[in-house]
Amino acid sequence: MTVTLDQIQAPIAAEMEEFEQKFRQSMQTKQLLLDKIMGYIVKRKGKQIRPMFVFFTAKISGGDPLPEASFRGAALIELLHTATLVHDDVVDESNYRRGFFSINALWKNKIAVLVGDYLLSKGLLLSLENDDYELLKIVSNAVKELSEGELLQIEKARRLDITEDVYFDIIRQKTASLIASCCAVGAASAGADKETIERARLFGEKVGMAFQIKDDLFDFGTAEIGKPVGIDIKEKKMTLPLIYALQQADWLTKRRVIFNVKNNDGRKDRVQAVIKFVKESGGLEYAIQVMERYRNEALEILRTFPESASRTSLEQLINYTIEREK
């Protein structure tokens, strides 16, 4: 039987509700336009997976009941992460985010950039006003990694010469660093020692790696989701199934596939040819194996923490993120 997100969240349901109210209040401002935009951002919140990772990790690291610092840590991550998403939509000229209009689509680029800056400074102030230097250091490092990962991907996309090692570097920085920071912030906010914080961070990193590989698999039509099939190929992104398939191919096949990726121009036949090649070369099976390896490594680290309802929920949360169909 599949466990729902509500069931996973049960041990921290009250804390999640409290966090939502606190976060909503903290987003209010006297500047009318800004207040309107902040209200829009709060309304569009997703599954709230990031605060869940913070709270569960805080609890298994000795923070039960949750200290105030855990709420601030979760808010800091939401603020800084939302700032990067708002800026991303401007850079990508994207009009939608999770099925809603993006900030730049509704209020234009200049306002979107300023809103991103505002969220960033709000996060910094939240930490500085409460002397949460350790939390700020963890999250700022994640934002730095995220930017480096994006730039590395852009640089490599031009030449399409991504090896597995480079791919892992990119997803470690772009995706895994954020979940890793959620878990490290959770442990740090509970007053855990350096060794425990690092263990929590590494646990989050492994989950993030598995999560991104799962996301890459969706591009090959492994499930019906919000992301259109073949979007990564159209955007010339080299993902693990494709990288593996190319490694197995002879020189001529490799050249033909890379030509189709480079010059697909959104053409359905060329994108479909790449998808067919990856499926026939065992690229999906290989990526699933690697994803499972990261999942198992994450579970191994998690089981070094004391048994509790929160640890069980974290285990379910890992499986939820890996087995999700969207």
Side-chain angles (χ1 to χ4, degrees), residues 124-256:
L124 298 175
L125 284 168
L126 173 70
S127 301
L128 297 172
E129 283 163 2
N130 293 282
D131 297 337
D132 294 328
Y133 301 114
E134 178 69 14
L135 308 187
L136 184 57
K137 188 177 168 187
I138 292 166
V139 182
S140 298
N141 195 52
V143 174
K144 175 184 83 81
E145 292 257 337
L146 216 138
S147 309
E148 285 176 355
E150 282 284 1
L151 287 164
L152 177 60
Q153 187 170 48
I154 291 166
E155 178 199 324
K156 293 294 179 181
R158 286 178 183 155
R159 294 201 301 272
L160 295 185
D161 61 349
I162 294 183
T163 59
E164 262 188 52
D165 286 348
V166 172
Y167 165 82
F168 289 129
D169 280 345
I170 289 170
I171 69 166
R172 187 174 288 112
Q173 290 182 305
K174 264 190 68 176
T175 304
S177 65
L178 187 67
I179 298 178
S181 73
C182 289
C183 298
V185 159
S189 70
D193 59 29
K194 276 194 161 37
E195 183 274 328
T196 306
I197 295 168
E198 178 50 27
R199 212 167 7 126
R201 190 202 65 77
L202 195 57
F203 158 72
E205 188 179 275
K206 304 277 187 193
V207 176
M209 298 292 279
F211 178 89
Q212 185 55 55
I213 296 168
K214 174 70 175 185
D215 218 50
D216 291 347
L217 285 162
F218 284 143
D219 202 50
F220 296 90
T222 54
E224 197 49 57
I225 53 151
K227 169 179 162 181
V229 169
I231 197 84
D232 288 339
I233 296 165
K234 281 178 197 159
E235 290 174 2
K236 303 177 182 53
K237 282 181 188 164
M238 298 284 278
T239 58
L240 188 59
L242 177 56
I243 293 164
Y244 174 81
L246 285 169
Q247 281 169 354
Q248 313 311 305
D250 59 68
W251 178 81
L252 200 62
T253 309
K254 194 180 282 191
R255 199 175 150 189
R256 192 187 71 242

Side-chain angles (χ1 to χ4, degrees), residues 109 194 269 272 275:
N109 285 351
K194 276 194 161 37
D269 57 335
Q272 284 305 323
I275 290 173

Side-chain angles (χ1 to χ4, degrees), residues 8 52-53 56-57 60 183 203 207 299 302 309-319:
I8 295 168
M52 285 169 71
F53 271 112
F56 281 136
T57 317
I60 64 169
C183 298
F203 158 72
V207 176
L299 289 170
L302 182 59
S310 289
R311 194 185 86 170
T312 304
S313 279
L314 263 179
E315 212 165 294
Q316 292 168 337
L317 189 55
I318 297 170
N319 294 332

Side-chain angles (χ1 to χ4, degrees), residues 23 79 89 142 189 194 203 254 259 261 277 289 300-301:
F23 191 65
L79 286 164
D89 288 339
S189 70
K194 276 194 161 37
F203 158 72
K254 194 180 282 191
F259 175 85
V261 175
F277 160 73
Q289 264 175 22
E300 229 170 87
I301 297 169

